[in-house]
Amino acid sequence: MGSAPEPQELLEIAVTVARDAAATAYRMRTEGVSVAATKSTATDVVTAADRAVERQVIEALRRLRPGDAVLGEEYGGADTGPTGPAGVRWIVDPIDGTVNYLYDIPHSAVSLAAEVGGVVVAGVVRNVTTGEEWTATAGGGAWRDGRRLRCSTETDLGQTLVATGFGYDPKRRAHQARVVTELIPHVRDIRRLGAASLDLCFAAEGRVDAYYEKGLAAWDLAAGGLVATEAGLRVGGLAGAEPGPDLVIAAPPALFAPLHDRLADLDASGGP
Ligand code: IPD
């Protein structure tokens, strides 16, 4: 296996593929959308567009970078390709914010990231409807439409606008709702916008101050997590853990500890 490609090279591929994917998702939305199947629960839906867009992304990546591994939300099991220090793995969420997409709420995104040796080095998140596009490379900053992004400079948890989301399992949601009930008196307000990748990108440019959620999958986090990190947010889990399914907290450095401690007290990573 040769040396690892540069992050910028991978980003250029990611952007090309994500733009085409978002165009397909947009076109399919205008033609009408219905539920094709359900996944973990009756409310965890997949549309024909989720599947078609992921298939398109996988085919494009196979053409442009044959031999790389691909991990996708809809065909996630088909994760094949190289591993090792120079191995590239692509992580795709064909439509993050599927429920928004289903209801024609203009807040869903294609999310595509490239990992090298298990570390995310490039990522793009593109809003299917508005065309807003966030990109980042490891060490190269976070950008939207030619503008370098910096996160919020807020330092007071009481003035913090916090985005979060809920899983699809009713018992998990009940626990998450209890956490929000206890958190909301201590922050400016809560936003539940419906697409984790966009929550992270919004935090990257201070459209919200911070974000947390339990239950994120790799495809929800990969690209948006890099955008947030490169915009100056601290992205982590509880008690020094890596961000992951147990909990993702993305907050400006001064807010990370107060938000983290409040979420730990509320057992935000607990429950089903
Ligand atoms: C979901 C969205 C939502 C978040 C859920 C995710 P999907 O992804 O990102 O905002 O709260 O945890 O599963 O199902 O729309 O791809």
Side-chain angles (χ1 to χ4, degrees), residues 44 73 93 95-98 165-166 168 192 194-196 213 216 220:
D44 184 4
E73 175 167 22
D93 191 340
I95 300 178
D96 185 31
T98 304
F166 304 108
Y168 292 107
R192 196 298 189 244
E213 186 166 346
L216 288 197
D220 299 311

Side-chain angles (χ1 to χ4, degrees), residues 81-237:
T83 51
V88 175
R89 181 171 80 150
W90 298 88
I91 303 176
V92 55
D93 191 340
I95 300 178
D96 185 31
T98 304
V99 175
N100 284 343
Y101 184 78
L102 182 65
Y103 282 78
D104 207 8
I105 295 170
H107 197 77
S108 63
V110 174
S111 169
L112 181 59
E115 268 182 2
V116 175
V119 176
V120 179
V121 298
V124 56
V125 177
R126 186 175 174 96
N127 184 311
V128 166
T129 318
T130 67
E132 286 177 307
E133 185 180 273
W134 293 262
T135 59
T137 51
W143 302 79
R144 178 165 71 78
D145 306 324
R147 192 166 60 85
R148 188 156 188 174
L149 304 179
R150 298 303 306 169
C151 66
S152 157
T153 53
E154 185 55 63
T155 57
D156 176 1
L157 189 60
Q159 297 297 317
T160 297
L161 185 61
V162 181
T164 191
F166 304 108
Y168 292 107
D169 173 61
K171 291 201 181 81
R172 172 166 296 176
R173 286 181 162 188
H175 181 77
Q176 289 173 315
R178 281 193 289 275
V179 173
V180 168
T181 304
E182 296 292 321
L183 180 65
I184 200 167
H186 303 284
V187 296
R188 179 189 293 275
D189 207 344
I190 294 287
R191 290 291 178 273
R192 196 298 189 244
L193 299 168
S197 61
L198 290 172
D199 288 336
L200 287 156
C201 291
F202 272 33
E205 61 180 298
R207 285 181 178 177
V208 296
D209 295 303
Y211 163 74
Y212 79 92
E213 186 166 346
K214 174 189 163 85
L216 288 197
W219 43 81
D220 299 311
L221 174 64
L226 182 63
V227 172
T229 302
E230 288 292 327
L233 290 130
R234 181 167 163 199
V235 183

